[in-house]
Amino acid sequence: MDFKTCFLQPLTEKAALEISQWEYEEPYCAYSFKGHRNGYLFDAKTWGTEQFALCQGEKTVGQVACQFDGGQLWVGWSLSPEYCGKGNGHLFVKQCVQEIRKMKQYQDKIYLKVAASNKRAVKAYQKAGFVYSESVQDEIAYSDHMEEFWVMVKEK
């Protein structure tokens, strides 16, 4: 996959329906969209302002969410399961960061939160230039399970 040929576009109903069926293998199944009602994903008011699809032509490669909180830009994303575990997650993250910066006209720090136990994602974020900032307790979506998360930051 050449992520450099991918671009962000506002999330659409078609893309949201596709993403809602994404299912990840163990031990990453906690991040699966399939089988979980996700009101945010289907909130059309956020499409194009907070929620985007990373696409290659007509193909949805990833889902990207970004929100400002007190002037800080926080991001979250999901890579299509067909591209996971192949050692190129950092390229996905780099392309998303580049596209977000361009789309939002934003050149300051970017923040994210990741489960400390998600070693694959942590490694991808580090390779993409994010660094550990602090640990916080949070819940993996849909799980009712609290665990340690890392706040990571990408400088300008």
Side-chain angles (χ1 to χ4, degrees):
M1 162 61 67
D2 183 5
F3 290 103
K4 289 182 180 178
T5 63
C6 296
F7 59 93
L8 276 185
Q9 65 181 36
L11 196 63
T12 63
E13 184 174 7
K14 178 180 178 242
L17 285 168
E18 180 182 339
I19 292 163
S20 74
Q21 297 304 304
W22 286 357
E23 200 167 11
Y24 299 96
E25 62 190 27
E26 287 287 344
Y28 306 101
C29 58
Y31 305 104
S32 294
F33 286 85
K34 188 172 184 174
H36 300 287
R37 184 160 172 6
N38 188 322
Y40 181 65
L41 183 65
F42 289 97
D43 183 357
K45 294 182 306 244
T46 65
W47 297 350
T49 58
E50 294 179 6
Q51 291 198 83
F52 304 89
L54 188 72
C55 299
Q56 186 178 55
E58 295 293 314
K59 182 150 183 64
T60 302
V61 174
Q63 179 264 351
V64 179
C66 53
Q67 299 172 326
F68 283 96
D69 183 14
Q72 297 176 334
L73 181 61
W74 287 80
V75 297
W77 35 55
S78 299
L79 179 59
S80 171
E82 73 180 277
Y83 302 112
C84 291
K86 296 180 170 49
N88 57 14
H90 68 289
L91 300 173
F92 164 70
V93 171
K94 283 182 174 183
Q95 186 66 22
C96 289
V97 166
Q98 181 179 317
E99 289 288 306
I100 290 167
R101 288 194 185 284
K102 184 171 49 175
M103 183 171 278
K104 294 288 186 182
Q105 298 295 298
Y106 182 81
Q107 296 305 317
D108 210 348
K109 295 177 183 177
I110 296 178
Y111 296 82
L112 63 81
K113 208 170 16 170
V114 60
S117 62
N118 190 342
K119 302 297 184 198
R120 183 167 75 180
V122 167
K123 183 179 175 183
Y125 297 147
Q126 289 171 328
K127 284 179 78 174
F130 282 83
V131 295
Y132 170 87
S133 174
E134 65 178 313
S135 293
V136 296
Q137 290 293 307
D138 205 350
E139 176 187 339
I140 291 181
Y142 323 114
S143 73
D144 294 325
H145 173 73
M146 296 296 284
E147 69 174 79
E148 179 186 6
F149 277 72
W150 284 9
V151 172
M152 299 184 79
V153 182
K154 173 132 176 83
E155 295 293 330
K156 300 175 188 176

